[in-house]
Amino acid sequence: MRLSPWSIPSCACKKSSRKLRICRKAFKAAYREKLNALVIFKPPNTPVEIVLDYYDNDYEIAEPPRVTSLKNTQPLPTITNFGESFQFVHESRRFKSIVHHLAKAYLASDNETITDPRLKLNKVVCEVEYTKKGVKVTTENGEVYTSDYVIVSVSLGVLQSKLIDFVPDFPFWKLKAIYTSNIANLDNEFPGKNILMVTVADEETRRIEQQEDSETLHEIIVVLRNMFGSKVPEAESIYLPRWLADPFFKDTFSNWSIRVESNIFKQLQVSHYRSRNL
């Protein structure tokens, strides 16, 4: 007897044929969900395959294919939304010009300077309390701000670190969605005036963030000299952005891992107000 993924015991839904159809439909949906979440991963063997694998996967999403779902990588949303061209744009007004252009729609500005008193900078939020009357936000220095609504745009790493206390706390299913989702780490090192960027991801990022910059710089020089010979000079300096240790980031990417299904992703998106009324 040949069994298909859709074959289920009819005794599971004896009450009616309608229940049987519903049961089969739910089983099919769950099976497709699991199938779509899995990555068919063939480890690279040759040096070229290793480089291409790293560039296509680790470099893009900060984690290796073995833990990454196809649901958010095939196709890659960046390419789907913005195209396959990778272009470098040099803007003499710098990136802040985009921020100021958007801010002018609702904040008072004067010659590229935001003067609106409603904009509060350098305020570290430590507590968000939601009541029937609205939202109260408390900062580290004791200042309190109230509003009807609050949009929380911190990274997933900050949510997982509990640096912000939400009162009342999220329900269990919301917390499960937060802690089930992956935070990924990608660090770039920039040694010297003639800048050379070195990119590491996943566990290598965690290792490097724990050691001294001088040790990391030495490792880079050793690799370069193995590749290009002993004439490679010493770098004058190195800059390493430690995103994992930064309390305002705690990560660089949010990766859709193989254990995260669509319903968990949707639960992560649900607002605090709605979650309290579900």
Side-chain angles (χ1 to χ4, degrees), residues 3-20:
L3 296 177
S4 73
W6 320 130
S7 299
I8 59 174
S10 59
C11 60
C13 302
K14 292 181 178 179
K15 291 186 178 180
S16 68
S17 59
R18 181 175 177 271
K19 288 187 177 180
L20 179 59

Side-chain angles (χ1 to χ4, degrees), residues 55-56 59-60 76 78-79 82-89:
Y55 180 78
D56 287 338
Y59 183 77
E60 285 290 340
L76 195 66
T78 303
I79 295 177
F82 303 104
E84 297 184 0
S85 299
F86 291 87
Q87 301 176 358
F88 178 81
V89 178

